Amino acid sequence: MLFVGDDWAEDHHDVEIQDEAGRRLGKAKLEEGIAGIARLHALIGQQLGEDGDPVQVVVGIETDRGPWVQALIAAGYQVYAINPLQVARYRERHGVSGAKSDAGDAHALADMVRTDRHQLRPVAGDSAAAEAVKVVARAHQTLIWERTRHTLRLRQTLREFFPAALVAFDDLAAADALQLLGKAPDPASAARLTTAQITAALKRARRRDVPAKAEKVQAALRTQQLGQPPLVTAAYAATVRAQVAILTTLHTQIKAMEEQVEAHFGQHPDAETYLSQPGLGRILGARVLAEFGDDTTRYADAKARRNYAGTSPITRQSGKKKIVLARYVHNDRLIDAIGRQAFAALKASPGARAYYDQQRHRGLGHHAALRQLGNRLVGILHGCLKTGTHYDENTAWQHREQHHQDAAA
């Protein structure tokens, strides 16, 4: 067996090769790209010999993405993606000085996969279809997050020089608000907007009760307010125009990326199983599939999937003290999608609603009860994927209902 520690950076990789006894067989600094991966294969080949099998090579690296990792997997090596926090804790086992170097991290990674790989998670063998869903689903969600950030920045800018706009527009990211702010980004020009101009913007945004809303917007924009000097107001107006342009572009790209998410998700063989789950549509279903992946060997059981999702609690016990806490170290994208699914499932599934109500009767708050429901839904999803069946309301909650009835009796 050969054990390789790979500490990666943007343009190079520090690698170290060890044997089963922990002796260093070689080390090098390799450039990112084809030339670098070819040199790595050559270094491994020198130590492995002609009769060696690539499966005898175990690689530890602090990422599970990118062409370099895919090249390692394609070569047949066993690849373990290790959290940087785990590497930092491992370093502290052997020294407390706080010293750190790329070569030292490569040594620590090689040591970790040599001695502790049974505690580590290998890189999942997800299909190309699942990887494609992950790429577009993450890009779509990132664009939505960016829209939220820029909307908050626009709100802060308006609050500092044009507070009447915050009264006039309930949703600054809405199409009508962006159109009117782009046309009139300062108090003076906004006050000159006619009813016809406002009505046209509201109609293009497909608003209801247009005459009343147009009158309300115009009245709000013409109210007296504290202002800034003309020169400062002009600078703020330029900032508003820039933010409006960014938000308008983000709207367009989010819509385009949403179509890509639906298209790629629809082509995946597990799509119908995900869509059968309560609270999951095409976008949320794609996000959950993207983060879980489709490697059938990745999760040994439902508990392992729940632990990865971060929905299952953790227990801390010392002496007579024992506490149960929520997991705060988790995949943010996955836990967000599961939380949204749990909330949507309250209306889509009577069993989910009953389970949520049971948690509330136990004294749990809204978010804690939703987390418990999400944990249950992850287990149901695991069962459906394992057996290749679609969600069934009676099957999913029958055991819980029977248990509740027995407890009541």
Side-chain angles (χ1 to χ4, degrees):
M1 298 290 291
L2 293 179
F3 304 94
V4 181
D6 186 335
D7 184 69
W8 69 278
E10 183 176 344
D11 58 352
H12 72 276
H13 294 253
D14 283 270
V15 299
E16 178 174 316
I17 304 175
Q18 297 181 2
D19 63 12
E20 294 184 53
R23 293 178 301 177
R24 180 188 297 159
L25 302 178
K27 57 183 296 187
K29 185 185 290 290
L30 308 175
E31 60 184 294
E32 172 72 25
I34 295 177
I37 200 70
R39 283 189 60 198
L40 176 61
H41 292 331
L43 288 171
I44 293 173
Q46 292 173 7
Q47 303 299 331
L48 197 59
E50 294 182 359
D51 298 330
D53 191 329
V55 77
Q56 295 174 257
V57 180
V58 184
V59 183
I61 187 170
E62 293 177 322
T63 182
D64 62 350
R65 299 187 299 274
W68 185 278
V69 173
Q70 293 302 315
L72 295 175
I73 296 173
Y77 305 150
Q78 300 180 53
V79 183
Y80 289 81
I82 305 175
N83 190 299
L85 289 177
Q86 291 178 284
V87 181
R89 299 297 182 269
Y90 188 88
R91 280 199 309 268
E92 294 172 358
R93 292 170 55 184
H94 304 286
V96 295
S97 66
K100 181 187 181 303
S101 67
D102 292 341
D105 285 349
H107 176 78
L109 285 163
D111 270 341
M112 289 183 74
V113 292
R114 179 174 59 84
T115 61
D116 296 325
R117 67 182 181 279
H118 62 288
Q119 303 282 5
L120 302 173
R121 184 189 299 273
V123 173
D126 292 333
S127 67
E131 286 293 331
V133 173
K134 179 188 288 188
V135 170
V136 293
R138 286 188 170 186
H140 177 254
Q141 188 172 35
T142 299
L143 288 174
I144 292 174
W145 286 344
E146 285 300 315
R147 180 175 63 185
T148 300
R149 293 189 182 100
H150 283 284
T151 301
L152 292 174
R153 290 169 184 158
L154 175 59
R155 178 180 179 81
Q156 179 62 22
T157 300
L158 292 172
R159 191 187 68 81
E160 293 177 358
F161 90 110
F162 189 8
L166 302 180
V167 179
F169 306 116
D170 297 330
D171 182 6
L172 292 177
D176 53 330
L178 292 176
Q179 182 180 346
L180 293 174
L181 286 172
K183 183 178 297 185
D186 60 84
S189 58
R192 292 194 295 269
L193 287 173
T194 64
T195 303
Q197 290 174 312
I198 298 173
T199 299
L202 292 173
K203 286 183 177 180
R204 275 191 288 269
R206 297 182 179 180
R207 294 286 191 175
R208 296 180 180 178
D209 195 16
V210 171
K213 287 184 177 178
E215 184 178 346
K216 178 184 175 182
V217 169
Q218 187 180 55
L221 293 176
R222 292 181 176 181
T223 56
Q224 296 292 323
Q225 60 182 346
L226 296 176
Q228 297 274 9
L231 193 60
V232 176
T233 298
Y236 273 120
T239 303
V240 170
R241 288 193 190 94
Q243 290 292 346
V244 166
I246 292 171
L247 285 168
T248 302
T249 301
L250 283 172
H251 273 309
T252 303
Q253 296 307 315
I254 287 171
K255 183 64 176 177
M257 192 56 66
E258 181 178 323
E259 295 174 356
Q260 290 295 317
V261 172
E262 293 181 352
H264 282 283
F265 177 65
Q267 296 172 5
H268 195 279
D270 292 336
E272 293 303 320
T273 302
Y274 277 88
L275 290 175
S276 71
Q277 306 297 308
L280 285 186
R282 292 190 174 274
I283 299 300
L284 272 184
R287 291 180 186 175
V288 176
L289 168 62
E291 302 308 324
F292 274 137
D294 62 356
D295 185 351
T296 57
T297 64
R298 184 172 190 177
Y299 308 103
D301 50 29
K303 181 180 179 181
R305 190 181 289 269
R306 291 189 185 110
N307 290 345
Y308 179 79
T311 56
S312 60
I314 57 174
T315 301
R316 291 185 178 179
Q317 183 174 1
S318 179
K320 295 182 179 180
K321 184 178 180 180
K322 179 179 179 180
I323 56 175
V324 179
L325 303 171
R327 293 176 185 260
Y328 291 103
V329 178
H330 46 60
N331 181 326
D332 291 343
R333 294 177 185 270
L334 180 55
I335 201 70
D336 175 75
I338 292 172
R340 291 175 182 273
Q341 178 197 0
F343 184 74
L346 294 179
K347 290 185 177 180
S349 166
R353 181 75 217 193
Y355 184 80
Y356 169 84
D357 291 339
Q358 289 174 17
Q359 306 311 309
R360 293 306 304 270
H361 289 325
R362 289 175 51 207
L364 296 183
H366 171 68
H367 294 291
L370 274 185
R371 187 165 56 247
Q372 291 279 10
L373 175 57
N375 191 47
R376 175 64 182 168
L377 291 172
V378 170
I380 294 172
L381 172 64
H382 180 83
C384 291
L385 291 171
K386 183 178 180 180
T387 58
T389 57
H390 290 180
Y391 172 85
D392 179 77
E393 182 74 17
N394 294 328
T395 303
W397 304 100
Q398 185 177 14
H399 173 71
R400 296 294 309 181
E401 291 177 2
Q402 184 63 42
H403 176 75
H404 185 64
Q405 290 172 4
D406 292 343

